[in-house]
Amino acid sequence: MAKYSTPTKSNLINARNSLKMATQGYDMLDLKRKLLMRELAKQADQEKKIQKELCDTLAAAEAALRESNVRMGLDRVAALAASIPEVHDIDIKFYSVMGVEIPVVRRNSRQERKPHMSLYKTNLSLDEAAFYFCKVRDLCLRYAEVHSAAERLNRDIHKTQTRANALKNIMIPRYTRIIAEVSDAIEEKERGEFSRLKAIKRIVENK
């Protein structure tokens, strides 16, 4: 590099400091990558479990809804479903894992839940359908949480790996080569100076 082109002890010290910083930076990035990969593996395991539970619960909800449609009729079920208001009780917060913002998606349990369907002309299958679909909603929130976390972690792992590779394969070898070249140049210069001093000493002694 141009800044280290002059073979001086000052440049040698600067190159060694740069190599030390690059090595420390690589070690830190490598540690961060390993911790993020561990967190990603945990989120991926949770995602698989939640996905399976979500599929099972959704199948149960659809089965209960089909039975309700048969027993009560499509119009009656549709009218009861239309009576349920929209809810806006989702809280999204974040926590940091090695600088990666991980979302926490939760239903606001502080909001009071009241029944919105009359017990008149309803049956057990409709209650089961309502129960399962509420569970599906909560599982969807959990799935969105872990899926988003996995994507964020995966992106940051890729960025961290790219930076670590740049240090390992480019910067560290470059500073190592510079240190070797500057050291060799300084040693050669010192040998030349030493030879000149010996020659001068001989001349002085022979006078």
Side-chain angles (χ1 to χ4, degrees):
M1 297 175 70
K3 62 181 293 187
Y4 302 111
S5 59
T6 305
T8 63
K9 290 186 177 181
S10 176
N11 282 340
L12 180 60
I13 293 172
N14 291 335
R16 285 174 176 169
N17 289 336
S18 297
L19 176 61
K20 182 179 179 181
M21 292 180 61
T23 303
Q24 290 176 345
Y26 171 76
D27 292 339
M28 292 177 63
L29 289 172
D30 189 54
L31 177 61
K32 177 182 179 180
R33 180 185 61 83
K34 291 177 181 178
L35 293 175
L36 291 178
M37 289 184 67
R38 185 184 305 172
E39 182 67 20
L40 176 60
K42 184 174 70 174
Q43 296 289 346
D45 288 341
Q46 291 183 5
E47 183 177 358
K48 290 180 181 179
K49 293 177 182 178
I50 294 172
Q51 187 175 24
K52 183 180 183 305
E53 186 179 0
L54 177 59
C55 290
D56 294 341
T57 305
L58 185 59
E62 290 175 344
L65 182 61
R66 282 195 299 270
E67 184 176 351
S68 298
N69 289 334
V70 172
R71 292 177 177 271
M72 301 175 58
L74 292 173
D75 293 339
R76 178 61 179 165
V77 172
L80 290 171
S83 68
I84 302 175
E86 293 184 5
V87 292
H88 304 279
D89 61 348
I90 297 175
D91 286 339
I92 302 178
K93 298 179 181 179
F94 294 88
Y95 68 94
S96 179
V97 176
M98 300 297 293
V100 182
E101 294 294 318
I102 304 299
V104 179
V105 185
R106 291 291 184 271
R107 177 173 59 83
N108 189 353
S109 58
R110 292 176 298 177
Q111 288 196 5
E112 184 180 0
R113 285 187 170 273
K114 298 180 180 180
H116 299 286
M117 293 184 296
S118 171
L119 296 178
Y120 178 66
K121 289 186 178 179
T122 60
N123 56 26
L124 179 61
S125 59
L126 185 62
D127 293 337
E128 289 180 345
F131 168 79
Y132 283 125
F133 275 112
C134 285
K135 189 176 180 181
V136 165
R137 176 173 177 264
D138 291 338
L139 287 171
C140 285
L141 295 180
R142 290 174 57 196
Y143 182 80
E145 174 186 316
V146 297
H147 183 73
S148 176
E151 287 189 338
R152 289 166 180 257
L153 289 167
N154 192 46
R155 284 197 300 267
D156 205 83
I157 287 171
H158 179 72
K159 292 179 182 178
T160 303
Q161 185 66 58
T162 301
R163 297 191 188 104
N165 288 340
L167 288 174
K168 180 181 178 181
N169 301 322
I170 299 175
M171 302 307 296
I172 292 177
R174 179 181 298 173
Y175 288 128
T176 301
R177 175 180 54 80
I178 289 171
I179 290 171
E181 291 175 353
V182 173
S183 297
D184 291 343
I186 290 175
E187 290 176 0
E188 183 65 26
K189 183 179 179 180
E190 289 178 347
R191 284 194 294 269
E193 291 290 339
F194 182 71
S195 298
R196 282 192 292 271
L197 287 174
K198 287 181 67 177
I200 293 172
K201 183 180 180 180
R202 283 195 301 270
I203 294 172
V204 171
E205 289 175 349
N206 292 331
K207 284 184 179 181

